[in-house]
Each structure stands twice: as structure tokens, then as C-alpha cells.
Amino acid sequence: MASKTLFSTLRGILSPKADSFNEAGGLAYKLSPRHALAQYGATGCLNSTYYATAEDQLQQVLKLCAKVPTDFIARTALHCRQKGFMKDVPALLCAVLAARDAERLELIFDRVIDDAKMLRNFVQILRSGVTGRKSLGSLPKRLVRRWFETRSDEAIFRADVGQSPSLADIVKMVHPHPATKSREALYGYLIGRKHDASALPGIVREYEAWKAEPEGNPPDLPFQMLTALPLTADHWQAIARRAPWQMTRMNLNTFARHGVFSIKEITRLVASRLRHEEQVHRAKVFPYQLLAAYLNVGGEVPHDVKEALQDAMEISVSNVPVVAGKVIVAPDVSGSMHSAVTGVRKGATSKVRCIDVAALVAAAFLRQNRDAEVLPFENNVVRVSLNPRDSVMTNAQKLASLPCGGTNCSAVLIDLNARKVQADLVIFVSDNESWMDTPYHGHFGGSATRTMSEWQKFKQRNPKARLVCLDIQPYATTQAQERADILNIGGFSDSVFSVIAAFARGELSGEHWVGEIEKTPL
């Protein structure tokens, strides 16, 4: 018999060799340019992250755009705006198209630049010159004019919040043509020029009259237009009664400070609004934004309102898939995961961390898959006991409070292999910056990442198993190379759950997430 020592099967020998290093210095696999652009689009807020500056991210996106067809740039902008609810990178991609492919820009403009915030982003980015031009140019000007033409007088007035540029600045840049006397007066009013006050839209006249004599209920206008005015407790209560869902979520402490919750009927109304299923879905709220609201509410906010936030959370993650078979969820609790999920920008840094998002995803999967095993990891797997019957909020807070260390993505698979665990789906929620399982730095050495090698071992025992790497940071590498049984996906909207569900059922095309983006109709 031939020597078993000499000719034994080499586990992991078919694992592909690593071809890159990640930002932490660990072995990694490069994402394709299309995949990397999608990752930046779904997670990038053009702020500084744990491993990269805002300038680094901007340059990476521009370099990736130069490597992919404009058709894919357009589809990525659409997908990441409509499915991922992102703002900055979709606006940047539209600015890139303004310089490279006017036809594609015109096809997607109205669906990506769909509100005043997106319009201001687009104009600011285009005029900065980063995409190769500083003037808007004839086509972008025409598209911006169309943006104004397709909105009512009232909608434009309500959108007049925010600066740098303001809506008035944009009106001055593009000179939209007023089709009515009221529109002509409105444009004059916005830019501070002489206008016929009697021709102004009714909502503007109502606002100006109330500013002069603030009696009775304030006009039904965006919160930002009213806060500089002398508001009484009665005014605040009127505002709270008719506030839209997102404004309600963001201003619970403000309402409490101004006596809104002293009226039990308004307290019940606010709680009912927050937990209203249709309104939650229509608001396109990120689950982590609900966690932020829950963690930040003060002691003056009534208990029923806090409970309503938990109910809203359960609704926002309701499309987490119920997976046939055993599920392993591995949230990364390492040090880098304690950075702000949307990056750092002076005066605009989110209190919500990457670890909070990872914990939320894990808790949501446990809620829907009661026999799932949750394995947090940093240097090694961190043992934790979770009750599937507890709320998503409760389990997420428990996971986010675990001790942190270095990043070792392979620790989970090493643990599963050591225990010979049988499972059908393994989900990592991480920034993918594994470095502790790289034994040397400076050269590839012809080896696979440890995560990929351990996945090969796991597959020998679980041949039908699938691996999902959900990345919540804008980087361009992964620990597990994309293939039929491995999905790399980015983002922190609940739409990623639908893609994961389809992947778990074997319904995605060969390119998985990128394939889904390619299907986006222009």
C-alpha cells in the first residue's frame, strides 16, 4: 500500500490563491471592478472609515467607474438608490455619467435624483469638478429644470430646506422657466427677488402670514422651516399630530422637551404611527436607524413610544428569510467594527457603529430562524447565549456589548470544523478586514485566505452548504472568493435580505449580486 502520510488528501488544496491584501494587511481576494463599484455604492457615504479616508473612497469610486461600462454605472446608481436607499455614491455616479454618457444619465436621472436632497448632492458634486467638469452643462441643466417642472409649487416650497447649495442657489444656476404666474412668483420669492406676493402659492402666503402673526396652528410644513419661529407647547403638539413618520422618529426627544407627550392622546397617536406597518415600509427606514432612535430617546419619552420603536424594528426586518436547514450567523465584534457605520464626517458622524448593524442582522436572523446558531467573533469565537424569543433590540444590544479584539474571520469556520457542525447556510456580517489569520505580510506566498481554506474543509462535510459574506463597509476585497456557493453582498438596508433568501434557495444567477444589479431596467 502507498504511504498514507505521503499521499494523503490535502484539504483545501483546491482553494484559490489570494491575489491581494485588504486594508488591514491580511490576505484577501480582489472583487471585480463591477462588484467593487456595487460595494461602494451600497455602503459608501464618502466619509472616512476605520481604514480609509473620504478622499480614498472618492478616488476608488472614480477609478472603478473608469473600468466598467457606463451601462453598469447607471444600473448601479439605480439599484443602490432604489434598493439600498443610498444618497452620496448614487449622486456621484450620476455626476460621472454627466461627463461620460449623457444618454444613460437622462434615462435614470428622475429615478435616482428623486428628491431635493439628491438634487443638491448631484449639483454640489458636479460643480466641484471631481468628475471632470465644473459647470452643469446643457443636458444636466435641462434635467434639473425638468426636476422643477415635474413638481408642484407646494412640493418645491416644501423642498426648500438645506444648504450648500440651497434650492434657491440651484434656481439661480439653471433658470427654470415658470409656466404659471404662481411659479414665477415662487421662484422670485425663493431667490429674494421682486415678485407678486398675491400670486404666490397658497402655502407660501399662509406661511408668511403665520410668521407675521403666529396664532393658531402653524402651517403644515417641514419641521426645519418652523423651528426658528417662536413656537408654544400648543404649536409643538399640532406639529406632532401631523408629523410624517421619519420626522417623528428623529424628533422624539424634541417633542418630549416641548411638552408634546403631556397629552396622552398625542402619545398614543405617535406610538401608533411609529408601529404602523405600512408607514414603516413606506419610510424606507434602515433597521439601524430604529436602533439609533431607541438608544437615544431620553427618559421623558413615554414607555409606549419606546415600545413602538421596538415594534417598528420587528417590522423593518420582517423580510429576513426563513431558511430551510441549519443557519449559522457570525457577527464581527472586533475593534474596527466599533467605528461609525456611515463613516466619520465633522458634525455628521452617526452614533451607530458597524457592530450595531452586525448585531441587528444576527438578531434578526435568529428571530426568524429560531434554531440558528449565532457565533460572534474577533480573535476567536465569543460564546454568547441568546433567547430567540427576545426582541431584536434586546439581542442586538447584547451582541454589541461583547468584548472586542482583532479580526479573524476564519475563527468561526475553524470552530465549526473542530465541532464537526452540520449546517446549510453560514452568514458573516463583517467589514471583511481579517488580518489575524494571515501568518505573514508583504507577499501572497501562493496560499488561500484561511477563511477560504476552512470553507473548503466545511464543504467536505456539508457539500450543499452556502456561504454569505455581508460586508457593511466600502472596501474592495473579500475573504471568500465569489463562486456558485459563495455570495458577497454589501449594504445595510433590508433589501439585502431578499437577495440572501434567493441565494439560499439557489435562485440567483452565476454572478449573484452583480447579476441582480445587471437586471435593473434602465
Side-chain angles (χ1 to χ4, degrees):
M1 178 182 289
S3 169
K4 290 183 178 181
T5 302
L6 187 59
F7 298 107
S8 60
T9 301
L10 297 178
R11 291 185 176 182
I13 196 168
L14 298 180
S15 300
K17 296 176 182 179
D19 58 5
S20 183
F21 291 105
N22 58 31
E23 283 76 0
L27 285 177
Y29 300 97
K30 291 179 184 176
L31 296 174
S32 70
R34 293 186 190 214
H35 202 138
L37 183 62
Q39 179 68 30
Y40 276 91
T43 61
C45 297
L46 301 181
N47 297 331
S48 295
T49 62
Y50 191 87
Y51 291 108
T53 66
E55 290 76 17
D56 291 338
Q57 288 186 54
L58 172 61
Q59 292 307 314
Q60 281 286 354
V61 172
L62 295 177
K63 287 177 183 177
L64 290 167
C65 284
K67 296 178 180 179
V68 303
T70 54
D71 189 76
F72 186 77
I73 295 173
R75 294 180 196 277
T76 301
L78 263 179
H79 180 90
C80 293
R81 177 58 182 158
Q82 295 184 325
K83 300 289 187 181
F85 316 140
M86 299 299 286
K87 299 180 179 71
D88 297 287
V89 175
L92 173 60
L93 297 182
C94 283
V96 169
L97 289 173
R100 288 187 55 190
D101 193 331
E103 182 181 350
R104 292 292 184 276
L105 175 62
E106 186 162 16
L107 285 174
I108 69 167
F109 187 85
D110 296 331
R111 288 172 287 165
V112 178
I113 311 302
D114 56 1
D115 63 23
K117 170 64 174 173
M118 290 297 294
L119 183 68
R120 292 198 306 274
N121 284 354
F122 171 73
V123 172
Q124 179 186 359
I125 292 169
L126 200 57
R127 296 188 75 236
S128 73
V130 299
T131 60
R133 60 188 302 170
K134 286 194 173 183
S135 64
L136 263 67
S138 57
L139 175 69
K141 279 186 178 180
R142 177 165 61 81
L143 295 176
V144 173
R145 289 192 200 105
R146 189 171 77 191
W147 188 96
F148 283 99
E149 291 165 1
T150 55
R151 282 159 176 79
S152 67
D153 292 346
E154 182 172 333
I156 289 174
F157 181 62
R158 288 178 176 278
D160 186 31
V161 293
Q163 300 294 323
S164 302
S166 67
L167 208 63
D169 293 331
I170 298 175
V171 170
K172 292 176 184 177
M173 290 177 204
V174 304
H175 306 292
H177 306 297
T180 63
K181 290 291 185 183
S182 64
R183 184 60 62 92
E184 182 179 10
L186 176 60
Y187 287 153
Y189 171 87
L190 290 175
I191 64 177
R193 291 185 180 172
K194 186 177 179 180
H195 59 275
D196 181 359
S198 65
L200 284 169
I203 188 67
V204 184
R205 286 184 274 114
E206 181 186 353
Y207 175 64
E208 288 298 319
W210 197 84
K211 281 169 61 180
E213 291 186 48
E215 297 179 359
N217 290 340
D220 184 9
L221 286 169
F223 178 69
Q224 299 94 320
M225 290 184 171
L226 303 172
T227 51
L229 305 178
L231 301 177
T232 67
D234 288 342
H235 293 150
W236 279 104
Q237 289 161 14
I239 291 170
R241 286 179 189 276
R242 63 193 182 206
W245 194 94
Q246 284 282 28
M247 177 188 158
T248 301
R249 172 187 69 83
M250 297 171 68
N251 291 282
L252 295 174
N253 288 332
T254 302
F255 288 166
R257 281 198 307 273
H258 292 283
V260 166
F261 297 124
S262 64
I263 308 299
K264 290 184 178 179
E265 180 262 333
I266 299 181
T267 300
R268 288 193 295 269
L269 175 66
V270 167
S272 176
R273 179 185 301 148
L274 287 172
R275 58 167 56 99
H276 192 282
E277 184 171 355
E278 183 180 343
Q279 292 194 52
V280 172
H281 288 309
R282 190 165 60 237
K284 298 179 180 178
V285 62
F286 290 123
Y288 82 80
Q289 291 173 320
L290 287 164
L291 176 63
Y294 181 79
L295 296 178
N296 290 328
V297 290
E300 296 179 347
V301 176
H303 180 72
D304 190 36
V305 173
K306 295 177 183 177
E307 288 290 311
L309 286 172
Q310 294 208 53
D311 293 339
M313 170 64 77
E314 300 289 339
I315 294 168
S316 74
V317 297
S318 59
N319 65 341
V320 170
V322 176
V323 179
K326 178 71 172 178
V327 180
I328 307 293
V329 190
D332 183 349
V333 297
S334 65
S336 61
M337 295 288 285
H338 286 254
S339 60
V341 68
T342 54
V344 176
R345 181 187 299 174
K346 187 176 181 180
T349 300
S350 172
K351 292 182 180 179
V352 181
R353 305 160 300 169
C354 296
I355 192 173
D356 297 317
V357 176
L360 271 179
V361 172
F365 267 95
L366 181 63
R367 185 76 162 162
Q368 293 291 81
N369 300 270
R370 298 298 178 89
D371 63 344
E373 186 175 357
V374 178
L375 295 176
F377 69 94
E378 28 101 65
N379 301 359
N380 298 293
V381 168
V382 181
R383 303 297 173 190
V384 64
S385 177
L386 301 175
N387 182 354
R389 292 182 177 274
D390 283 343
S391 71
V392 171
M393 289 281 198
T394 299
N395 280 332
Q397 287 179 271
K398 191 171 184 177
L399 287 166
S401 65
L402 293 173
C404 66
T407 309
N408 181 4
C409 290
S410 63
V412 173
L413 292 167
I414 292 171
D415 177 77
L416 294 175
N417 286 331
R419 294 189 286 127
K420 301 189 184 315
V421 171
Q422 302 287 324
D424 301 277
L425 182 66
V426 179
I427 304 170
F428 281 86
V429 193
S430 173
D431 60 7
N432 255 316
E433 294 301 309
S434 191
W435 58 272
M436 294 196 69
D437 46 4
T438 296
Y440 44 78
H441 294 260
H443 59 93
F444 302 127
S447 65
T449 63
R450 185 71 185 275
T451 299
M452 200 69 189
S453 296
E454 293 295 330
W455 178 246
Q456 290 290 98
K457 297 177 187 178
F458 187 83
K459 285 285 287 185
Q460 290 181 359
R461 196 172 59 258
N462 300 275
K464 295 183 179 180
R466 293 174 180 268
L467 173 65
V468 174
C469 298
L470 173 53
D471 198 338
I472 53 180
Q473 287 286 270
Y475 303 125
T477 61
T478 180
Q479 287 297 294
Q481 193 175 66
E482 188 95 350
R483 64 185 196 188
D485 60 331
I486 298 174
L487 166 68
N488 285 285
I489 186 170
F492 28 69
S493 78
D494 63 351
S495 65
V496 299
F497 298 143
S498 300
V499 179
I500 293 173
F503 175 69
R505 295 191 298 265
E507 296 174 358
L508 293 189
S509 61
E511 288 190 279
H512 300 330
W513 185 37
V514 171
E516 291 301 296
I517 294 174
E518 292 276 19
K519 295 177 185 176
T520 305
L522 295 180

